[in-house]
Amino acid sequence: METNLRTTKEISELLNVSEETVRRWIRNGDLDAHLDGKSYLVEEGTLKKFIQERAKVPGTTISKMAPLMGGALTAIIPHLGEILTRARAVAKSKSNGETLPEKLQEGTIDLKDIEVYIDALQRKKKKIELEYQMKLLEIEDEIAGFMVLKDKIENGEDNS
């Protein structure tokens, strides 16, 4: 058995879905997990396999993310704990009123802080790109619906 286990919170943050979605995947049997008290834990290998399988299913959140993420999604799983720890540290430093640019000016920032900040910005960029793609898909669906309606009206069909 693998020693690297991921929580539902870590998985939800990685895949940009709610924790409830991750728990639903587990309850439905889509994602294998181990019950640890009241929490679920998922092995990294199982998570990688799940992501790769879901990326092939049209219409899923993961399949919509896959083209934007390339192979990076499964590649970051082994580093997820470290990434989340760094991201939380950056968020904590921001909540103390210090931003990374301020730390940089003061000379109190190290290379890891900068790398974490860059990672956070890149994730933010990916999230915005995904939201943009989702909005485009919604608009394309709406256009398609109106095109069907337009064709029916042009052909004199009853639109009821």
Side-chain angles (χ1 to χ4, degrees):
M1 182 160 106
E2 294 182 37
T3 58
N4 294 324
L5 300 172
R6 299 292 162 218
T7 66
T8 54
K9 182 167 181 61
E10 289 174 331
I11 295 168
S12 71
E13 289 174 358
L14 170 70
L15 300 178
N16 198 29
V17 297
S18 70
E19 274 190 83
E20 181 54 34
T21 297
V22 176
R23 287 190 291 267
R24 186 173 53 253
W25 289 335
I26 293 168
R27 283 192 308 270
N28 291 343
D30 298 329
L31 179 60
D32 292 330
H34 306 285
L35 195 56
D36 181 37
K38 292 184 178 181
S39 302
Y40 290 109
L41 296 174
V42 178
E43 295 176 11
E44 282 183 7
T46 302
L47 181 57
K48 283 182 187 179
K49 185 177 177 185
F50 174 79
I51 291 170
Q52 289 167 344
E53 288 172 1
R54 282 293 194 144
K56 297 174 189 173
V57 179
T60 64
T61 302
I62 297 172
S63 70
K64 291 173 185 170
M65 286 174 50
L68 297 172
M69 296 291 287
L73 197 54
T74 56
I76 65 172
I77 293 171
H79 310 289
L80 184 59
E82 181 183 345
I83 291 168
L84 292 173
T85 300
R86 287 183 182 181
R88 287 181 188 122
V90 168
K92 186 176 180 182
S93 73
K94 283 184 175 183
S95 68
N96 292 336
E98 284 186 276
T99 64
L100 287 178
E102 288 171 352
K103 282 181 152 186
L104 186 58
Q105 280 185 330
E106 295 169 3
T108 60
I109 193 168
D110 65 11
L111 186 58
K112 286 199 183 268
D113 287 332
I114 294 169
E115 290 171 350
V116 169
Y117 193 65
I118 290 169
D119 288 343
L121 288 174
Q122 288 173 335
R123 282 192 309 278
K124 186 176 181 179
K125 178 184 172 192
K126 291 287 184 197
K127 180 180 178 183
I128 291 169
E129 288 172 345
L130 288 170
E131 290 169 350
Y132 173 75
Q133 290 294 324
M134 292 297 295
K135 290 291 183 189
L136 285 177
L137 289 171
E138 289 172 9
I139 291 169
E140 287 174 7
D141 285 345
E142 193 172 351
I143 289 170
F146 278 104
M147 294 297 288
V148 168
L149 182 60
K150 178 185 170 215
D151 288 345
K152 284 183 177 182
I153 292 171
E154 286 177 345
N155 294 326
E157 295 177 25
D158 184 15
N159 60 350
S160 56

